[in-house]
């Protein structure tokens, strides 16, 4: 069949004060009906700019299509009048945007936002549009669609908002669907549901789908063909099975290798820099040189750093995991029987009141954390894993006393944090810090990096004077992989990975002993994620840190954590050594989390394609 959409020699440039940025540089692609093309690359590779160029949604100032052709059913979208382009958007070519929380208008009900496109492009009444929107909500798996159609965006979970965006994109039965990072930062279980939904709808409606992501693991689950972009250029293109079986470009090899794998035992992750080296010539040309992963580097990945540090043998036996050295990876040790936990949480409960009526009477409670107990020993990493709403982030914030504790005890450094407050809590909090999920929202945009780092030092009276604190801040930046000259910059001047490194430096600024990492890599590119995870492990070994690592991704938690706690509905449903929980999960909920992780093996891709072909037949 002929392609629905053809991109030929597309060049999209941005004119800035520092020169011209070639965001998309000579891109050629085709989208076929009933097929999914996966467009892969890190942030800044040009994949999202490609989607915005197709729909002519580029900024009016500074952005331009320098050359190239975008043909849709014989129509040239580049030269199409804007009025005709508006009639085509949403009706013939539709898009699922990356962040549903910011893409949905917070002051309109979600049903009205879905109906708007139908009323604009189709000759139907409002009543007919409402009935069709309810059917769409049911089709995309939103429960109780008759009621949820009148909800506002803030009343829905992240997964439900993403389903609303899918319903909106499908409301006019488009021929081409562009999905721009539709599963980034979603739980692995919700991600799997969204991927299954897009694949099902694509087959049923015979749409051409352009699926944009930085994660080749997600691509293995959904794509028929793969196009890999790097710095605006297409570096590799082919069937998904060929790309995974025999990648040709070093950048593709790096992307495939840097994601944590559940079936591998390693102490560090490879990065894209292990597979390629880049150099920009005076002419502006980018030269990529392939690197070979040496045997020495491979041994470093497998053995550099400490092994697993598990609970004392008596505790492991009480948990149902008697310690047998031969059953664990090399270097695994247990904490000495005489050592006391650095943190003890007992029967922790955090309940939020539900208020209703004119006088806002309490009619019930949301039991966000409902009787959680665990120990953490010095130098360990405890992983807290579970879906959104399970209570893992609330547990971390309650330990930090960023939330009020309903009942229970949190004993850290000899004090029950649930009972102290004021100046004593502020003084103690220096030893226990947190790295938040979203570095952009957690960093003050009005403060420079220097002000952010030295402010915390000044509060806790660290450093002799302002110059000493500045020197400490510069040393911190270099320790987390940034430059001292970055001190004068502001958060908006950094990439996502760099901002997360600043968040780590801010946590380290007061010389803590214990750090809670709350989804600290969930929104990062897989290559940047690998760098940050390696950095956290290096800092732990160098500074003797103790971590609680919170994540919805069991593969990341397994890589980072010595002990793992699986949470569901405010309770810990499974607790034990991370390796053994993965190998022999006791709970169906844990098994569901494991099964939801994208499978990148060739056998899994072949099985998925065989099922897809059988469905089409």
């Amino acid at each position: 069949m002929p392609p629905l959409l053809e991109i030929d020699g597309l060049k999209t440039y941005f004119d800035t004060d520092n020169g011209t940025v070639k965001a998309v540089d000579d891109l050629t692609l085709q989208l076929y009906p009933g097929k999914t093309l996966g467009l892969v690359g890190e942030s800044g590779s040009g994949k999202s700019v490609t989607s915005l160029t197709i729909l002519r949604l580029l900024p009016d100032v500074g952005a331009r299509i320098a050359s190239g052709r975008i043909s849709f059913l014989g129509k040239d979208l580049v030269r199409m009048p804007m009025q005709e382009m508006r009639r085509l958007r949403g009706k013939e070519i539709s898009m699922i945007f990356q962040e549903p929380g910011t893409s949905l208008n917070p002051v309109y009900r979600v049903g009205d936002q879905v109906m708007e496109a139908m009323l604009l492009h189709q000759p139907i009444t409002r009543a007919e549009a409402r009935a069709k929107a309810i059917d769409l909500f049911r089709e995309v798996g939103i429960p109780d669609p008759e009621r949820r159609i009148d909800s506002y965006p803030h009343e829905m979970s992240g997964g439900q908002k993403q389903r609303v965006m899918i319903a909106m994109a499908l409301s006019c039965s488009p021929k081409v669907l562009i999905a721009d990072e539709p599963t980034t930062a979603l739980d692995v279980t919700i991600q799997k549901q969204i991927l299954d939904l897009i694949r099902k709808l694509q087959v049923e409606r015979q749409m051409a789908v352009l699926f944009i992501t930085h994660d080749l693991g997600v691509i293995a689950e959904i794509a028929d063909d793969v196009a890999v972009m790097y710095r605006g250029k297409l570096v590799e293109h082919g069937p998904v099975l060929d790309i995974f079986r025999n990648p040709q470009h070093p950048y593709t090899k790096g992307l495939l290798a840097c994601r944590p794998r559940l079936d591998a035992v390693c102490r560090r992750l490879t990065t894209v820099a292990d597979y390629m080296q880049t150099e920009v010539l005076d002419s502006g040309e980018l030269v990529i040189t392939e690197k070979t992963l040496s045997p020495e580097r491979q041994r470093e990945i497998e053995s550099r750093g400490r092994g697993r540090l598990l609970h004392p043998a008596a505790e492991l036996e009480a948990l149902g995991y008697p310690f047998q050295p031969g059953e664990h990876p090399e270097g695994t040790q247990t904490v000495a029987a005489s050592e006391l936990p650095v943190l003890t949480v007992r029967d922790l409960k955090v309940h939020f009141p539900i208020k209703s009526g004119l006088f806002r009477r309490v009619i019930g409670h949301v039991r966000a954390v409902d009787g959680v107990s665990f120990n953490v020993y010095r130098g360990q990493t405890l992983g807290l894993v579970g879906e959104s709403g399970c209570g893992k982030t609330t547990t971390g914030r309650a330990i930090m006393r960023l939330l009020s504790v309903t009942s229970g005890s949190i004993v850290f450094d000899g004090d029950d944090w649930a009972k102290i407050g004021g100046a004593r809590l502020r003084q103690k909090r220096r030893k226990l810090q947190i790295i938040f999920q979203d570095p952009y929202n957690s960093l003050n945009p009005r403060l420079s990096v220097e002000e952010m780092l030295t402010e915390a030092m000044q509060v806790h009276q660290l450093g002799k004077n302002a110059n000493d604190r500045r020197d400490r801040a510069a040393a911190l930046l270099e320790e987390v992989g940034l430059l001292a000259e970055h001190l004068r910059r502001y958060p908006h001047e950094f990439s996502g990975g760099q901002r997360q490194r600043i968040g780590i430096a801010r946590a380290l600024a007061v010389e803590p002993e214990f750090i809670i990492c709350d989804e600290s890599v969930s929104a990062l590119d897989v290559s940047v994620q690998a760098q940050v995870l390696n950095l956290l492990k290096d800092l732990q070994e160098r500074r003797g840190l103790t971590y609680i690592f919170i994540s919805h991704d069991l593969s990341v938690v397994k890589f980072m954590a010595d002990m793992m706690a699986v949470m569901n509905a405010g309770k810990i449903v499974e607790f034990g050594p991370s390796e053994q929980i993965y190998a022999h999960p006791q709970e169906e909920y844990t098994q569901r989390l494991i099964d939801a992780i994208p499978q990148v093996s060739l056998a899994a891709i072949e099985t998925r394609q065989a099922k897809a072909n059988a469905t089409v037949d």
Side-chain angles (χ1 to χ4, degrees):
M1 296 181 69
L4 279 174
L5 184 75
E6 288 185 273
I7 301 173
D8 185 19
L10 179 65
K11 296 182 179 181
T12 303
Y13 294 169
F14 289 85
D15 297 318
T16 71
D17 293 338
N18 297 320
T20 299
V21 176
K22 298 180 179 180
V24 179
D25 196 13
D26 198 19
L27 178 66
T28 298
L29 291 174
Q30 297 84 34
L31 268 71
Y32 291 88
K35 297 292 183 182
T36 299
L37 172 65
L39 191 59
V40 188
E42 298 172 283
S43 294
S45 63
K47 54 191 191 299
S48 290
V49 175
T50 299
S51 68
L52 295 175
T53 305
I54 292 171
L55 287 171
R56 300 270 299 278
L57 292 174
L58 294 168
D60 293 332
V61 179
R64 58 188 170 92
I65 302 174
S67 65
R69 183 176 63 91
I70 304 173
S71 176
F72 173 71
L73 295 176
K75 302 175 183 177
D76 188 352
L77 301 185
V78 174
R79 294 163 183 82
M80 180 178 286
M82 190 54 69
Q83 186 175 1
E84 187 178 348
M85 192 73 206
R86 291 192 187 100
R87 289 196 293 267
L88 183 142
R89 288 190 202 123
K91 183 180 179 182
E92 303 286 350
I93 305 176
S94 203
M95 185 167 178
I96 304 169
F97 291 95
Q98 179 171 353
E99 177 49 65
T102 55
S103 300
L104 293 172
N105 193 321
V107 301
Y108 288 101
R109 301 178 192 274
V110 292
D112 291 332
Q113 297 184 59
V114 174
M115 292 159 55
E116 182 181 20
M118 289 188 274
L119 293 170
L120 179 66
H121 293 295
Q122 298 176 12
I124 59 176
T125 65
R126 186 172 181 82
E128 291 171 335
R130 181 179 175 86
K132 188 174 180 181
I134 291 172
D135 289 340
L136 277 170
F137 275 31
R138 188 176 291 112
E139 186 177 8
V140 299
I142 296 176
D144 194 8
E146 290 82 1
R147 183 176 65 86
R148 300 301 281 174
I149 194 172
D150 293 318
S151 299
Y152 288 94
H154 72 272
E155 297 176 300
M156 309 187 84
S157 68
Q160 288 175 335
K161 282 187 281 195
Q162 194 61 279
R163 290 170 189 267
V164 170
M165 289 294 300
I166 294 172
M168 190 184 302
L170 298 176
S171 61
C172 296
S173 301
K175 294 181 174 64
V176 175
L177 176 66
I178 301 172
D180 185 10
E181 299 272 14
T183 61
T184 297
L186 293 180
D187 297 341
V188 285
T189 49
I190 302 298
Q191 172 180 274
K192 182 174 175 59
Q193 293 170 19
I194 296 297
L195 294 178
D196 290 343
L197 174 63
I198 292 175
R199 186 162 52 236
K200 169 179 169 288
L201 295 172
Q202 176 251 336
V203 171
E204 290 176 354
R205 296 172 178 238
Q206 283 298 289
M207 294 183 297
V209 177
L210 179 63
F211 194 97
I212 298 171
T213 182
H214 61 259
D215 190 345
L216 275 164
V218 172
I219 287 297
E221 290 280 323
I222 196 168
D224 300 297
D225 297 284
V226 183
V228 183
M229 291 186 71
Y230 180 70
R231 295 195 181 182
K233 291 186 176 293
L234 183 68
V235 296
E236 191 158 1
H237 185 201
V240 62
L241 203 55
D242 291 350
I243 296 292
F244 278 80
R245 180 187 288 123
N246 187 25
Q248 299 297 308
H249 197 276
Y251 181 63
T252 312
K253 295 176 183 178
L255 289 179
L256 282 169
C258 62
R259 198 179 195 280
R261 293 179 55 183
L262 282 170
D263 58 352
V265 178
C266 58
R267 298 185 186 178
R268 294 183 65 80
L269 295 171
T270 55
T271 65
V272 171
D274 289 312
Y275 292 87
M276 59 182 265
Q277 183 175 339
T278 60
E279 181 184 3
V280 180
L281 303 179
D282 294 338
S283 61
E285 181 185 357
L286 179 68
V287 177
I288 298 175
T289 306
E290 184 168 2
K291 293 166 66 175
T292 303
L293 200 64
S294 65
E296 293 78 15
R297 174 61 176 155
Q298 187 64 47
R299 283 194 295 272
E300 180 187 23
I301 290 166
E302 295 171 357
S303 60
R304 176 179 164 184
R306 69 163 178 82
R308 303 290 194 195
L309 181 61
L310 307 182
H311 276 22
E315 281 194 50
L316 291 176
E317 190 161 357
L319 290 167
Y321 298 96
F323 183 68
Q324 303 291 339
E327 296 179 359
H328 296 272
E330 185 179 352
T332 301
Q333 297 179 344
T334 59
V335 172
S338 59
E339 187 171 340
L340 295 176
V342 66
L343 174 70
T344 299
V345 176
R346 285 290 173 269
D347 199 26
L348 178 65
K349 295 181 180 180
V350 181
H351 297 171
F352 297 106
I354 302 172
K355 297 181 180 181
S356 182
L358 179 63
F359 298 102
R360 308 300 293 163
R361 290 190 177 95
V362 176
I363 60 172
H365 287 84
V366 175
R367 300 173 182 269
V369 179
D370 198 23
V372 165
S373 300
F374 56 82
N375 292 332
V376 184
Y377 290 85
R378 194 172 301 279
Q380 268 191 333
T381 299
L382 169 67
L384 278 182
V385 64
E387 299 171 291
S388 289
C390 71
K392 56 188 188 298
T393 292
T394 304
T395 299
R397 296 193 175 204
I399 292 171
M400 282 287 299
R401 286 293 307 278
L402 298 176
L403 294 173
S404 298
V405 174
T406 304
S407 65
S409 63
I410 306 165
V411 179
F412 176 74
D413 197 30
D415 287 300
D416 187 347
W417 280 43
K419 297 178 180 177
I420 64 173
R424 182 162 178 76
L425 177 62
R426 191 160 48 250
Q427 178 189 8
K428 287 283 186 179
R429 196 174 267 154
R430 173 193 156 188
K431 295 185 178 181
L432 181 57
Q433 290 291 300
I434 187 168
I435 302 169
F436 293 99
Q437 176 175 356
D438 186 345
Y440 191 75
N441 287 329
S442 64
L443 299 176
N444 191 326
R446 295 182 177 87
L447 297 182
S448 68
V449 174
E450 179 181 348
E451 290 170 323
M452 276 186 276
L453 298 183
T454 57
E455 179 186 44
M457 298 179 197
Q458 190 170 3
V459 167
H460 291 283
Q461 299 177 352
L462 295 176
K464 299 174 184 177
N465 50 45
N467 288 335
D468 185 29
R469 285 190 284 271
R470 188 184 187 283
D471 291 342
R472 285 172 177 243
L476 275 174
L477 285 188
E478 291 176 353
E479 187 174 9
V480 299
L482 298 175
L483 302 175
E485 64 195 50
H486 291 153
L487 281 174
R488 297 189 180 277
R489 294 188 184 179
Y490 289 82
H492 71 273
E493 298 179 87
F494 295 92
S495 67
Q498 288 174 324
R499 285 196 289 262
Q500 196 59 279
R501 289 173 185 265
I502 294 168
I504 294 171
R506 185 177 61 178
L508 295 173
V510 292
E511 300 177 356
E513 299 173 3
F514 199 122
I515 297 179
I516 297 172
C517 305
D518 183 13
E519 297 276 15
S520 53
V521 297
S522 63
L524 300 179
D525 296 341
V526 287
S527 55
V528 177
Q529 174 182 281
Q531 297 169 20
V532 173
L533 293 177
N534 286 340
L535 171 63
L536 289 171
K537 284 208 163 192
D538 289 342
L539 291 170
Q540 181 176 40
E541 187 175 11
R542 190 159 57 239
R543 288 174 168 252
L545 296 170
T546 307
Y547 292 144
I548 289 180
F549 195 90
I550 299 171
S551 179
H552 61 260
D553 190 337
L554 198 136
S555 60
V556 171
V557 172
K558 176 180 174 288
F559 170 74
M560 286 294 296
D562 304 307
M563 302 290 293
M564 182 187 299
V566 182
M567 290 192 67
N568 185 24
K571 298 179 181 291
I572 292 178
V573 297
E574 195 158 356
F575 188 93
S578 57
E579 296 280 355
Q580 289 181 286
I581 285 183
Y582 162 67
H584 307 289
Q586 303 297 312
E587 296 290 326
E588 181 183 348
Y589 177 74
T590 309
Q591 184 61 58
R592 196 165 80 242
L593 290 178
I594 294 172
D595 292 342
I597 297 170
Q599 301 295 314
V600 297
S601 66
L602 295 177
I605 298 173
E606 289 173 341
T607 300
R608 178 186 64 77
Q609 289 193 323
K611 287 182 180 178
N613 292 335
T615 303
V616 173
D617 294 340

